[in-house]
């Protein structure tokens, strides 16, 4: 262990501390999504065939869950996630994102490893396992946004927010590699045990490389610490205090951001939970191909996000646009264009063209690193984690609504025509919130971000 620590210290000593933070944000999101989306692939191997004449490969035990139960299982994670997003944000700001994230990862390792055992108990225990997984995961993104607000210089923030697309790589890894692993070693190992092992290894790396703030990082140089602190100025304070929830919920810019984020998550979670089903049962791809092709839209989103993040930093560095104008303008790419591609899906039947349209829709949504994913940092850097926690708590309802919506339209007749309704609803969820944000969104720091100054009588009493 001493030799490992010495090696890590030698390797990472010359790497800027804020780069390590960016890498850990990417890794953290990777783990989050690996645990989140594994059920979308696993359930294809865990459920008995609807048609008694179908003979499916032996990937492990199969269970008699119907379409509605499948939708409930895919949505169980998001029900749990809903309850802990807001309190998780408070935990991140009260105790620090480093330790909160590590504790969550350890919990996820345990519950993921126990999931095959939970499945043997039937639908109820499997639902409980996924629900608990969601409860544990709620604090993670508030933790990540808390780190960004305290580590990212303003003209580098686009890259930091883009690092949150590590979740996209987690989706790609899960749907490609775990899809094949399920075929080779079965769903208990491929879908649950191996992800649990990866998660505990990631926890050790996270604890070694992260720190809550520049002034608590053990290996940061004084020059880098000064640069970060000076660039952030007085918009971020290290003082712990209760977020101004009442002012937050009365803020029109924040409410419009929350609606924009909801539309973004509707499109994202619909494709996360439904793409494997659509490609397998409608487009006719096998398990291995489904995993690969289902991951292509998320690969496009990750690549586009880094491109858009770099463009945003470049624009900000050269002051070509005001922040508000930039946030609103890029909604065209993050929401309007993806919605139009979903509309296009209603009129196309060729399988690979469908895959291309889905990939382009989610790819352009990568511009969300400059819109809904970044705007909480603009409005209130001191409470970026809290704002994101609230947004995610509301937006996470899309995670269990979209599987139920798909189940509703496909329960009796799973045809392309029925999927058109799902695509049109998704397009509306993208485009409508963007139009609202054009009118009411903002990129300016809100007054309630600042510490309340003591009154004259309070100062005199000190």
């Amino acid at each position: 262990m001493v030799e490992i620590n010495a090696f890590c210290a030698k390797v990472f000593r010359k790497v800027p501390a804020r780069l390590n933070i960016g890498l850990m944000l990417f890794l953290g999101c990777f783990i989050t999504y690996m645990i989140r989306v594994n059920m979308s692939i696993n359930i294809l191997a865990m459920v008995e065939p609807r048609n008694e004449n179908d003979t499916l490969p032996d990937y492990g035990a199969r269970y008699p869950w119907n379409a509605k139960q499948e939708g409930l299982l895919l949505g169980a994670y998001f029900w749990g996630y809903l309850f802990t997003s807001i309190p998780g944000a408070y935990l991140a700001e009260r105790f620090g994102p480093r330790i909160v994230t590590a504790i969550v990862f350890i919990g996820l390792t345990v519950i993921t490893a126990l999931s095959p055992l939970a499945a043997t108990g039937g639908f109820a225990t499997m639902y409980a396992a996924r629900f608990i997984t969601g409860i544990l995961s709620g604090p993670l993104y508030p933790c990540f946004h808390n780190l960004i607000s305290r580590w990212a210089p303003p003209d580098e923030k686009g890259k930091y927010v883009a690092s949150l697309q590590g979740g996209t790589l987690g989706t790609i890894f899960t749907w490609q590699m775990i899809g094949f692993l399920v075929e080779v070693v079965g769903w208990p190992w491929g879908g649950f045990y191996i992800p649990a092992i990866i998660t505990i290894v990631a926890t050790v790396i996270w604890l070694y490389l992260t720190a809550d703030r520049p002034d608590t990082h053990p290996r940061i140089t004084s020059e880098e610490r000064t640069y970060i602190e000076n660039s952030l100025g007085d918009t971020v304070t290290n003082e712990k205090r209760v977020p101004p929830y009442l002012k937050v919920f009365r803020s029109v810019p924040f409410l419009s951001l929350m609606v924009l984020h909801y539309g973004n998550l509707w499109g994202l979670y619909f494709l996360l939970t439904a793409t494997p089903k659509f490609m397998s049962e409608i487009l006719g791809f096998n398990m291995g191909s489904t995993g690969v092709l289902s991951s292509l839209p998320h690969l496009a989103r990750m690549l586009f996000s880094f491109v858009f993040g770099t463009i945003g930093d470049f624009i900000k560095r050269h002051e070509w646009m005001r922040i508000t104008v930039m946030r609103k303008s890029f909604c065209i790419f993050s929401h309007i264009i993806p919605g139009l591609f979903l509309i296009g899906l209603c009129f196309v039947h060729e399988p690979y063209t469908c895959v291309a349209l889905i990939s382009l829709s989610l790819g352009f949504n990568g511009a969300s690193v400059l819109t809904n994913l970044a705007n909480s940092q603009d409005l209130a850097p001191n409470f970026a984690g809290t704002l994101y926690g609230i947004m995610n708590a509301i937006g996470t309802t899309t995670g269990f609504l979209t599987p139920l919506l798909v189940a509703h339209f496909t329960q009796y007749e799973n045809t392309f025509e029925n999927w058109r309704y799902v695509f049109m609803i998704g397009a509306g969820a993208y485009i409508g919130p963007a139009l609202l944000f054009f009118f009411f969104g903002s990129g300016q720091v809100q007054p309630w971000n600042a510490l309340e100054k003591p009154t004259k009588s309070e100062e005199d009493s000190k």
Side-chain angles (χ1 to χ4, degrees):
M1 181 62 70
V2 174
E3 289 78 6
I4 294 176
N5 287 336
F7 173 77
C8 291
K10 183 176 180 180
V11 170
F12 294 108
R13 183 167 49 241
K14 296 181 180 179
V15 178
R18 67 185 188 281
L19 176 58
N20 286 336
I21 297 298
L23 293 173
M24 289 303 97
L25 288 169
F26 190 89
L27 176 64
C29 294
F30 176 96
I31 297 300
T32 302
Y33 268 76
M34 180 182 68
I35 298 299
R36 177 181 298 189
V37 307
N38 62 344
M39 198 64 186
S40 297
I41 288 291
N42 293 345
I43 202 166
L44 300 176
M46 295 173 69
V47 176
E48 292 179 356
R50 302 277 189 272
N51 189 338
E52 294 181 359
N53 297 323
D54 289 346
T55 56
L56 298 178
D58 182 12
Y59 299 134
R62 289 185 179 270
Y63 303 96
W65 300 329
N66 58 37
K68 183 177 180 181
Q69 288 175 316
E70 286 185 47
L72 289 171
L73 283 174
L74 292 175
Y77 174 98
F78 301 97
W79 274 108
Y81 194 91
L82 169 67
F83 288 106
T84 52
S85 288
I86 296 177
Y90 177 75
L91 292 175
E93 290 168 357
R94 178 68 179 83
F95 299 104
R98 177 179 179 269
I99 191 63
V100 172
T101 299
I103 292 172
V104 167
F105 281 175
I106 293 170
L108 290 176
T109 299
V110 174
I111 195 64
T112 301
L114 291 176
S115 291
L117 178 62
T120 63
F123 171 78
T125 52
M126 190 66 220
Y127 185 93
R130 291 300 295 173
F131 182 79
I132 294 171
T133 302
I135 285 178
L136 289 170
S137 301
L140 288 176
Y141 270 88
C143 284
F144 301 153
H145 275 268
N146 184 283
L147 278 176
I148 291 174
S149 68
R150 301 181 185 282
W151 276 94
D155 60 359
E156 297 179 13
K157 194 154 288 188
K159 298 187 190 71
Y160 275 81
V161 177
S163 71
L164 300 181
Q165 298 305 311
T168 304
L169 185 61
T171 301
I172 294 168
F173 171 83
T174 303
W175 284 357
Q176 285 195 16
M177 297 305 298
I178 291 181
F180 285 114
L181 287 172
V182 166
E183 291 184 328
V184 175
V185 297
W187 63 259
W189 270 99
F192 293 105
Y193 297 141
I194 291 176
I197 293 170
I198 294 172
T199 302
I200 198 63
V201 172
T203 305
V204 176
I205 300 173
W206 172 273
L207 284 171
Y208 185 81
L209 290 181
T210 56
D212 291 333
R213 304 185 309 272
D215 62 326
T216 62
H217 197 289
R219 291 173 297 279
I220 192 171
T221 64
S222 58
E223 292 83 1
E224 184 180 14
R225 174 182 169 181
T226 300
Y227 167 68
I228 295 172
E229 292 177 343
N230 288 344
S231 67
L232 295 176
D234 58 0
T235 61
V236 179
T237 177
N238 293 333
E239 183 176 336
K240 294 176 171 57
R241 55 195 175 120
V242 177
Y245 291 110
L246 183 59
K247 293 180 180 179
V248 169
F249 282 108
R250 292 166 63 181
S251 170
V252 172
F254 173 70
L255 293 176
S256 64
L257 167 61
M258 188 163 61
V259 174
L260 186 72
H261 190 66
Y262 191 89
N264 176 77
L265 290 186
W266 183 281
L268 176 61
Y269 288 159
F270 157 60
L271 292 176
L272 277 176
T273 57
T275 298
K277 180 181 178 70
F278 177 70
M279 291 189 178
S280 175
E281 299 179 5
I282 300 299
L283 300 185
F285 296 110
N286 61 31
M287 177 75 75
S289 297
T290 294
V292 173
L293 294 174
S294 296
S295 70
L296 290 180
H298 301 276
L299 175 61
R301 187 172 189 258
M302 182 179 68
L303 296 176
F304 278 46
S305 68
F306 281 105
V307 172
F308 280 114
T310 301
I311 291 172
D313 287 342
F314 188 81
I315 291 173
K316 189 167 184 179
R317 193 175 299 117
H318 290 81
E319 299 181 345
W320 288 351
M321 287 184 185
R322 291 185 294 111
I323 295 298
T324 299
V325 174
M326 182 169 71
R327 299 290 181 238
K328 293 182 178 182
S329 298
F330 277 89
C331 283
I332 296 172
F333 300 99
S334 67
H335 286 69
I336 303 294
I337 292 178
L340 294 177
F341 278 120
L342 288 184
I343 293 174
L345 270 171
C346 298
F347 306 100
V348 175
H349 289 80
E350 201 282 319
Y352 287 101
T353 304
C354 290
V355 173
L357 289 175
I358 294 173
S359 299
L360 288 170
S361 177
L362 204 55
F364 274 97
N365 182 248
S368 59
V369 299
L370 297 181
T371 58
N372 58 284
L373 295 181
N375 195 220
S376 61
Q377 302 282 338
D378 303 325
L379 300 180
N382 278 322
F383 303 109
T386 293
L387 298 190
Y388 199 83
I390 295 171
M391 290 158 50
N392 252 15
I394 304 299
T396 293
T397 59
T398 64
F400 53 78
L401 289 177
T402 52
L404 292 177
L405 182 76
V406 173
H408 171 75
F409 284 108
T410 63
Q411 184 171 4
Y412 300 109
E413 192 177 11
N414 190 12
T415 64
F416 201 106
E417 286 68 27
N418 289 336
W419 279 84
R420 286 177 176 171
Y421 297 105
V422 181
F423 293 138
M424 290 300 294
I425 292 171
Y430 267 138
I431 296 172
L435 297 177
L436 184 70
F437 189 78
F438 286 150
F439 289 101
F440 301 107
S442 174
Q444 301 304 306
V445 176
Q446 299 302 293
W448 38 268
N449 174 69
L451 282 168
E452 292 186 5
K453 296 181 179 180
T455 63
K456 190 175 189 311
S457 59
E458 289 174 333
E459 291 179 335
D460 292 341
S461 63
K462 292 182 179 179

